[in-house]
Amino acid sequence: MKRLRAGGLRIGLMALALAALGACGHDAKQARLMVIITPSLDNPFFGQEAAGAEAKARELGYQTLKFSHGDDAFKQSELIDTAIARNASAIILDNAGAQSSVAAVQKARNVGIPVFLIDREIAARGIATAQIVSNNYQGAMLGAQAFAQAMGEKGPYVELVGKESDTNAAIRSKGFHEVLDQYPDLRMTARQSANWSQSEAFTKVQSILQAHPEIKGVIAGNDTMAMGAIAALQGAGRGDVAVVGFDGSNDVRDAISDGKAAATVLQPAWRQAQFAVELADKYLREGKTGQAEKLIMDCLLITRANAAQLSNFALK
Amino acid sequence: MTEGKILTMNGAGQAVSSDYAMTLLLKFRTVLALVLVVAIFAVLAPNFLTVANALIMLKHIAIVAILAIGMSFVILTGGIDLSVGSIAGLAGMVAGALIINGLPLTALGVVVYPSVPAVVGLVLLVGVGIGLFNGLLINRFQVAPFIATLGTLYMARGAAMLMSNGETFPNLIGNPALGNEGFSRIGAGLLLGIPAPVWLLAVIAAGAAFVAGSTTFGRRVYAVGGSERAALLSGVRVDQVKYAVYAISGAMAALVGVLIASDLVAAHPASGESFELNGIAAVVLGGASLTGGRGTIVGTLIGACVIGVLGDGMVMVGISEFWQMVIKGGVIVTAVVLDRLQERLG
C-alpha cells in the first residue's frame, strides 16, 4: 500500500515536471527571456536598478526574471547557470566582483548568451557585450567638492567607507580624497568602513562622535551609510555637522530638503539599467550594439536646488 | 584530570596556592577581560572614559545583551537559536508596517492603527510565535535545534523582505491624528539621563538572573541542559521547558528589532544580520557551555559588555574593519581556550 502510494507520488511528480517543462518550452517560443541579476533587492539603489531594467524589458516584450547574488560570486555563478538553463536571451548583470565575475560571464558567453554589465565593471574586456558603468570617480569628486563647500573649506571630518572588498568603495574614497586632500584646512580625524550598512554607520558614528566631538562633517561612500550618520548626528543634537552621501536615494533627498544633509551624488541607476536593456534588445535584433563595450555615464550632484526633482534614482 | 586534582589537594603549599590563584584568575576571566579592554581603550581612545561615551556604549551593549540573555536560556538547555537575528529584522519590519500601514482587519473592512505600546506588544507576540514554532519543530518533530532555527532564520528573513518587497519603512514617527506617535522614544528616549534601552536591559537582566537562579523554572532549565534524560526521569516536562526557552529567546530578539528600528526611526529588512553570532559569542564569553547546564546570566551580561566595548573601542581608536574582525575572533577563541583550561583545573 505504502509502496503503491510512493509510486503514485513519483508519477505525479513526473507529470508535474513534464508539465513545467512543457510550459517552459511554450514560453520560450512566445516571449524571449531577460534575466536581471543585481547584488540585492533590499537596497533601494539595486532595487531601482532591477526595477528599471525589468520595466524596460517588459515594455520591449520580454519576459523577465529578477535575482540577487548578495555580493557572493559563487551564488552569482549559480544564478548564471540558472539563466543558461532557462535559455535566457540576454543577462543584465550588476556583478559580484571585478575579478571573481569574469568566469561566470565567460560561461554565459560560451553558450551564446550576451551579458550586459551595469554599475560595476569586470576586469576583462571582450567577454561582456557591454559594460555600462557610472563614473564613480567623477561622482565622488563632485560630492567632495560640495562637502568642502558645506564645511566652509576647513575643519575635521569623518569618512565612512563602503565594503572594503568592493571596487566602488575604493574608487569613491579615492575620488573624495583627490579633492579633499587639496584643502590644507580640511582634516580627516576618523575613517571607518560601515560596510554600506545603515545600522553599522549609526553605531560607528555614535562612537566616533564620542572620540572626536569636534568633527564638522561626515562624508559617506553611499546613501544608506549617510542615513545612519544622520540618525546618529540628529540623536546627538549635532545638526551642525555637514553630511554628504552617494547614490541619490529618496531618503537622502528628503534629508537634503530638510537641511539634514548637504548633498548626494546621483548615479543614474534607473536610466543605466534601461539603457542596458535597450542595448541588449538592439543586439538581439541586429547582432551588434553599435557602441563601444565600455560606456561611462557621468554622475550628477544633488543639492537643495534640485533635490525636489529627484525620484527613484532618476532626475525628472 | 583526577590525578591533577588530587595533587592539588595533597601537594606542596606552593603548588596549591599557585593553582588556586590560577583557578581564581580563570574564574573571573570574563571580568578580567572586560577590565582589560576598558583599560586598553581608556589609554588609546580619546574621550573613552566619559559619562557620555559610557552611555552610548551601554546602549550598544543593550542590543547585544538583550539578545544574548534570551540566547542564554536556550544554550543552558543545550540548544541553540540561530533565528534571533532574523527575528529582530522581521520584528522591526512588523513594527514599521503597523505604524505606517496599520493593521488591516479585512473581516471588518477597517484598518486599525495600534498605539505604540500595542505595536510593541504585537511585535513581541510575533517573536514569541516564532520561538514556539522553533519549539514545535524541536519537541514534536525531533529536529536538531541547529537545523530547526536555521530554517526559521531563512523563513523569518524572507518574510521580512516580503513585507515591503525589500524596501525600508522610513520615518517611523507616527501620526498624531492616528494616535501612534512616539515610537522613536523606545530606542532614543532618556529617563533620568539614561537611555531607555539601558533601563530595559537592567530590568530584563535582573528578571532573567532571578528566573534562572531562584525559580523552579530556572532549575529545570539547568536540569534539561545537564542531562535531558535525567531531567525527564525526575519528572521535568522537558518539552514545556524547551517551548519556554525558545519563546523567551524569540521575544528578546523581537525586542531588539524594535530597539533598532526605533533608534534609526526606520525599519530595514536586512537589519540584525549575523546578530545571532554576536549573541552566541557573548554567552560563550560569559562562561556558558554550549552543551548546556553551565552558565549564568551575569556571565552573559559581562560577555556582552566585552563584545560591545571591544566593538566601540576599536571604532574610536580607528582600527581598520579587517583588523576588527581578526581581533574580535581572537578574543572569542581565547575565552573558549581559557574555559577549557578552567574545566581541566576544576
Side-chain angles (χ1 to χ4, degrees):
Chain A
M1 181 62 198
K2 204 169 178 184
R3 203 156 156 188
L4 201 70
R5 238 186 19 224
L9 190 69
R10 205 169 300 154
I11 290 168
L13 277 176
M14 267 167 70
L16 254 177
L18 277 175
L21 269 176
C24 281
H26 192 62
D27 284 351
K29 263 171 234 142
Q30 269 198 337
R32 289 160 308 159
L33 175 71
M34 256 193 219
V35 174
I36 301 155
I37 307 173
T38 56
S40 74
L41 297 172
D42 63 281
N43 170 315
F45 178 81
F46 298 125
Q48 282 305 319
E49 191 176 73
E54 186 178 40
K56 180 55 85 180
R58 292 243 172 101
E59 185 191 315
L60 295 171
Y62 291 90
Q63 271 204 326
T64 55
L65 272 180
K66 282 194 295 184
F67 297 124
S68 66
H69 54 62
D71 282 315
D72 174 349
F74 180 68
K75 174 123 188 254
Q76 170 179 273
S77 173
E78 290 180 333
L79 292 172
I80 299 266
D81 287 336
T82 309
I84 293 170
R86 287 290 310 265
N87 199 17
S89 303
I91 297 171
I92 310 293
L93 172 67
D94 190 343
N95 71 74
Q99 300 288 348
S100 52
S101 300
V102 175
V105 175
Q106 180 75 55
K107 187 162 60 179
R109 189 188 175 87
N110 288 348
V111 295
I113 301 177
V115 180
F116 296 80
L117 299 179
I118 49 174
D119 182 39
R120 305 170 181 172
E121 54 193 305
I122 55 169
R125 293 296 179 88
I127 301 175
T129 308
Q131 306 198 36
I132 310 161
V133 294
S134 310
N135 199 337
N136 276 283
Y137 198 77
Q138 167 260 350
M141 284 170 60
L142 279 180
Q145 201 65 58
F147 183 66
Q149 271 168 22
M151 287 192 62
E153 301 186 3
K154 64 173 190 294
Y157 71 94
V158 176
E159 184 192 359
L160 292 177
V161 194
K163 193 170 259 164
E164 291 186 90
S165 53
D166 186 330
T167 331
N168 280 347
I171 293 179
R172 287 178 196 174
S173 182
K174 261 189 211 146
F176 288 156
H177 286 284
E178 171 77 41
V179 172
L180 297 180
D181 294 353
Q182 296 187 8
Y183 292 92
D185 296 333
L186 280 176
R187 189 164 41 82
M188 183 168 75
T189 46
R191 180 179 193 268
Q192 275 286 320
S193 167
N195 292 308
W196 307 126
S197 149
Q198 189 171 348
S199 51
E200 220 172 289
F202 176 73
T203 53
K204 286 188 170 169
V205 170
Q206 279 190 327
S207 292
I208 290 167
L209 267 179
Q210 292 303 316
H212 309 287
E214 72 280 7
I215 60 162
K216 292 278 177 284
V218 177
I219 189 161
N222 81 343
D223 277 355
T224 39
M225 295 191 294
M227 285 309 290
I230 290 168
L233 292 166
Q234 294 293 324
R238 293 295 305 273
D240 60 309
V241 177
V243 179
V244 166
F246 199 115
D247 280 345
S249 74
N250 291 355
D251 293 341
V252 170
R253 171 201 64 193
D254 294 343
I256 292 171
S257 303
D258 296 346
K260 292 174 184 169
T264 184
V265 178
L266 169 68
Q267 289 200 78
W270 180 272
R271 180 72 207 112
Q272 197 172 73
Q274 295 221 318
F275 181 54
V277 173
E278 285 163 13
L279 273 188
D281 180 56
K282 186 164 195 257
Y283 180 82
L284 291 173
R285 283 187 289 107
E286 301 171 9
K288 58 178 188 292
T289 62
Q291 304 264 7
E293 179 189 338
K294 189 164 174 186
L295 300 163
I296 295 177
M297 293 174 89
D298 273 350
C299 299
L300 298 164
L301 186 69
I302 304 293
T303 58
R304 208 155 186 175
N306 59 355
Q309 289 145 270
L310 177 68
S311 176
N312 293 332
F313 299 97
L315 213 49
K316 295 274 143 60
Chain B
M1 213 158 95
T2 346
E3 220 174 346
K5 239 180 198 164
I6 292 166
L7 207 86
T8 316
M9 287 191 289
N10 301 341
Q14 188 87 38
V16 172
S17 71
S18 87
D19 257 19
Y20 181 72
M22 187 70 178
T23 317
L24 209 66
L25 212 69
L26 286 172
K27 199 164 179 183
F28 293 104
R29 68 185 184 286
T30 326
V31 182
L32 281 175
L34 182 59
V35 172
L36 204 67
V37 282
V38 169
I40 291 172
F41 289 123
V43 175
L44 293 179
N47 302 330
F48 185 80
L49 284 184
T50 59
V51 176
N53 186 47
L55 290 178
I56 297 273
M57 286 200 297
L58 277 174
K59 224 174 113 177
H60 296 169
I61 287 165
I63 300 286
V64 183
I66 292 174
L67 206 70
I69 286 172
M71 182 76 77
S72 293
F73 282 99
V74 173
I75 287 180
L76 281 175
T77 66
I80 195 95
D81 190 350
L82 299 180
S83 63
V84 289
S86 297
I87 295 178
L90 178 60
M93 293 302 287
V94 172
L98 286 173
I99 287 171
I100 289 186
N101 298 331
L103 186 65
L105 297 173
T106 29
L108 301 170
V110 290
V111 177
V112 177
Y113 287 88
S115 65
V116 167
V119 166
V120 175
L122 286 168
V123 170
L124 289 182
L125 277 182
V126 171
V128 168
I130 300 174
L132 290 176
F133 180 69
N134 281 332
L136 182 78
L137 292 174
I138 291 159
N139 282 326
R140 187 67 65 80
F141 299 102
Q142 310 281 310
V143 182
F146 190 95
I147 301 301
T149 58
L150 182 66
T152 39
L153 176 157
Y154 286 118
M155 285 190 272
R157 181 65 68 201
M161 297 286 181
L162 283 171
M163 287 201 62
S164 65
N165 216 351
E167 283 178 29
T168 302
F169 283 121
N171 282 328
L172 303 179
I173 42 176
N175 184 342
L178 300 169
N180 63 354
E181 37 175 7
F183 183 66
S184 67
R185 278 205 290 275
I186 307 168
L190 293 173
L191 181 62
L192 304 176
I194 291 172
V198 180
W199 286 110
L200 261 175
L201 171 62
V203 171
I204 288 170
F210 174 75
V211 167
S214 317
T215 63
T216 319
F217 172 72
R219 280 190 290 280
R220 285 178 181 160
V221 168
Y222 280 95
V224 170
S227 164
E228 200 173 317
R229 192 160 167 72
L232 201 65
L233 290 174
S234 56
V236 173
R237 289 287 307 269
V238 172
D239 56 341
Q240 282 182 359
V241 172
K242 286 191 182 173
Y243 273 121
V245 293
Y246 287 97
I248 293 172
S249 180
M252 293 300 117
L255 185 59
V256 165
V258 169
L259 289 177
I260 296 172
S262 163
D263 234 344
L264 290 172
V265 207
H268 185 61
S271 277
E273 237 163 47
S274 79
F275 273 30
E276 60 276 357
L277 301 179
N278 268 339
I280 295 169
V283 176
V284 171
L285 271 175
S289 156
L290 279 181
T291 53
R294 184 165 63 85
T296 60
I297 299 297
V298 175
T300 294
L301 199 58
I302 300 171
C305 287
V306 174
I307 298 262
V309 170
L310 194 63
D312 281 3
M314 289 193 291
V315 170
M316 290 178 77
V317 176
I319 296 172
S320 102
E321 172 78 13
F322 301 153
W323 277 110
Q324 289 185 25
M325 290 196 259
V326 173
I327 293 169
K328 195 166 148 187
V331 168
I332 293 169
V333 170
T334 312
V336 179
V337 169
L338 290 177
D339 194 59
R340 295 281 106 184
L341 270 178
Q342 184 193 5
E343 252 177 33
R344 212 177 308 160
L345 287 175

